[in-house]
Amino acid sequence: MVGVRPPTRTRLAPEQRRTQLLDLGVRLLATRSLDELSIDVLAEEAGISRGLLYHYFGGKHAFHEAVVRHAADDLIAQTAPPEGGEPLERLLASVTAYVEYVVANHAGYQSLVKAAASGNDVLREIYEEARSALTGRIFTEDPWGDLIPDTPVNRLLVRGWSAMVEELVLAWVADPAGVPRERLLELAAGSLPALVESAGPGL
Amino acid sequence: MVGVRPPTRTRLAPEQRRTQLLDLGVRLLATRSLDELSIDVLAEEAGISRGLLYHYFGGKHAFHEAVVRHAADDLIAQTAPPEGGEPLERLLASVTAYVEYVVANHAGYQSLVKAAASGNDVLREIYEEARSALTGRIFTEDPWGDLIPDTPVNRLLVRGWSAMVEELVLAWVADPAGVPRERLLELAAGSLPALVESAGPGL
DNA sequence: CATTCTATTGACGTTTGTTCAATAGTGGCA
DNA sequence: TGCCACTATTGAACAAACGTCAATAGAATG
């Protein structure tokens, strides 16, 4: 006597359905990798059929790309650019916003970071753009022009610094281990001036 | 009139075949991701049948794991621990060996880095072990005990620093852009003392 | 209430990972 | 030299997952 419930298909507006799938994708791809996530599982989790996913995104990889782009946009949007003020304060404010975002929303951030290393050039570019958007906010707007001249070495340094901050925050979120949040912020923000200074006046 | 050449199967000693497949895997997985690498392609590239890969490694993921472990062992082995001497000199020597390895062998290194972010816990652990092996060499052996006390903050810092060095080297290899190799080495090695100092005396 | 529009489905074809019994080099031994 | 045992290697058959498309069913509009 199996209850044969008529398959109630729920019909949504394309926009809603799209964001529903995107949000779900961000959450699922935070822990599993793409090939560990079967369409069947995703579809069942979302309460839809496999076909619908293809209707909206055209394929598995295209879906992944959309998910990553979604996460990147979210990151950029939620870490608002700091107001005017002292360079050091703006840096601290920016880093604080970044840390706050990663702490509150690190499922999405993990999705983004993982995608960057997954071989696909498109995904990597999305990640690069997001990072550029964050670092660019601080440095393209002049006030650091004196402190951090635009040289090849400093470009390299800033790139390395952002990788370090990412690692610091992710490691700290995974295990705060007696390091208060304030201290983390000091480390992240204070390290950039220290690095630039240690690099010396060179080229 | 297709020449039906009898399929000459080449028979190797298990050890040779194993390393052949591993080396090939390292090279192929440096650019493609795992699910972009079909067994068919791998088999044809190696001149073997699909079945043989399963005989040696038991599966696609197991093969990936073996490849990553191969690359990690290679990295650890080839970046020999620096001899005795001044802490700063040992650090520089260690970083130099690391940079040298990445430059000469960055296919293998890319395989390793990519694997780390690919979701699988086993792969990530292999990567973590490799990194610990490199950083641990310098700091577990005492002489830095005075300069870099073993505190939670400094552990975090060293972790972040290694992520930065990795990013610096990979970015530099991809595009040296007017930064001489010597300068890169200075940046990588010199940044650690600068970071530790900037972190202040705190806990 | 009928009709049109379209979000959604489910069955089908195709590709790709996996298994396993059969095959063929190779080295040892008479 | 020639047979034999051992095992590296294969290829076909199986399973699972990706991708396609015509048919179906909500919902709004008149």
Side-chain angles (χ1 to χ4, degrees):
Chain A
M1 214 57 101
V2 178
V4 181
R5 169 172 24 154
T8 304
R9 59 165 76 172
T10 48
R11 184 192 177 110
L12 294 182
E15 197 57 28
Q16 294 180 32
R17 177 67 20 124
R18 191 181 164 82
T19 59
Q20 175 214 351
L21 294 176
L22 250 35
D23 287 337
L24 179 62
V26 166
R27 203 167 61 239
L28 292 182
L29 286 170
T31 55
R32 322 167 194 281
S33 74
L34 186 64
D35 70 326
E36 285 169 345
L37 174 63
S38 70
I39 304 275
D40 297 78
V41 169
L42 175 61
E44 186 173 2
E45 200 83 13
I48 64 170
S49 68
R50 283 202 301 282
L52 195 59
L53 195 84
Y54 287 89
H55 173 70
Y56 275 101
F57 299 98
K60 201 185 186 188
H61 288 277
F63 174 68
H64 191 198
E65 185 181 318
V67 165
V68 170
R69 191 158 270 142
H70 187 66
D73 289 345
D74 197 44
L75 168 64
I76 296 177
Q78 287 207 30
T79 57
E83 304 294 316
E86 280 297 310
L88 261 174
E89 287 178 5
R90 294 184 59 205
L91 178 59
L92 184 62
S94 175
V95 168
T96 302
Y98 169 77
V99 170
E100 223 109 73
Y101 178 84
V102 175
V103 170
N105 201 346
H106 67 101
Y109 195 74
Q110 283 284 12
S111 297
L112 186 60
V113 172
K114 280 191 179 179
S118 87
N120 191 326
D121 284 335
V122 177
L123 297 181
R124 196 175 307 180
E125 184 150 352
I126 296 174
Y127 174 80
E128 291 291 342
E129 276 181 33
R131 196 149 81 176
S132 296
L134 296 193
T135 59
R137 277 174 186 165
I138 313 172
F139 304 106
T140 59
E141 299 170 16
D142 245 17
W144 281 78
D146 301 339
L147 298 176
I148 305 184
D150 187 356
T151 68
V153 164
N154 280 342
R155 283 183 183 237
L156 209 55
L157 264 186
V158 169
R159 191 187 176 91
W161 171 77
S162 64
M164 185 184 86
V165 171
E166 178 178 297
E167 178 73 22
L168 284 180
V169 174
L170 286 178
W172 183 80
V173 167
D175 175 24
V179 176
R181 183 172 151 285
E182 287 302 321
R183 197 82 179 84
L184 175 71
L185 293 175
E186 284 177 24
L187 291 177
S191 55
L192 183 56
L195 284 173
V196 171
E197 190 173 352
S198 83
L203 169 66
Chain B
M1 218 51 101
V2 178
V4 180
R5 171 170 23 151
T8 304
R9 59 164 76 171
T10 49
R11 183 191 177 112
L12 294 181
E15 197 57 26
Q16 294 180 30
R17 176 73 11 127
R18 191 180 164 82
T19 58
Q20 176 215 349
L21 294 176
L22 251 35
D23 287 337
L24 179 62
V26 166
R27 204 166 63 238
L28 292 182
L29 286 171
T31 54
R32 320 165 194 283
S33 76
L34 186 63
D35 70 325
E36 285 169 345
L37 175 63
S38 70
I39 303 278
D40 297 78
V41 168
L42 176 61
E44 185 172 4
E45 200 84 12
I48 63 171
S49 67
R50 287 199 299 280
L52 195 60
L53 195 84
Y54 287 87
H55 173 70
Y56 276 100
F57 300 100
K60 201 186 186 186
H61 288 278
F63 174 68
H64 191 197
E65 184 182 320
V67 165
V68 170
R69 192 158 269 142
H70 187 65
D73 289 346
D74 197 43
L75 167 64
I76 296 177
Q78 286 204 33
T79 57
E83 304 294 315
E86 282 296 311
L88 261 176
E89 288 179 5
R90 294 184 61 205
L91 178 58
L92 182 62
S94 175
V95 168
T96 301
Y98 169 76
V99 170
E100 222 108 72
Y101 178 84
V102 175
V103 170
N105 201 345
H106 68 101
Y109 194 73
Q110 283 284 11
S111 297
L112 187 59
V113 172
K114 280 190 178 180
S118 87
N120 189 326
D121 284 335
V122 177
L123 297 181
R124 195 176 307 181
E125 184 150 352
I126 296 175
Y127 173 80
E128 290 290 342
E129 277 180 32
R131 196 150 82 174
S132 297
L134 296 192
T135 58
R137 278 174 185 163
I138 313 172
F139 305 104
T140 61
E141 299 169 14
D142 245 17
W144 282 79
D146 301 339
L147 298 176
I148 304 184
D150 187 357
T151 68
V153 164
N154 281 342
R155 284 185 182 236
L156 209 55
L157 263 186
V158 170
R159 190 187 177 93
W161 171 77
S162 63
M164 185 185 86
V165 172
E166 179 177 297
E167 179 72 21
L168 284 180
V169 174
L170 285 178
W172 182 79
V173 168
D175 176 24
V179 176
R181 183 171 151 285
E182 288 302 321
R183 197 81 179 85
L184 175 72
L185 293 174
E186 285 177 24
L187 290 178
S191 55
L192 182 57
L195 284 172
V196 172
E197 191 174 351
S198 83
L203 167 64

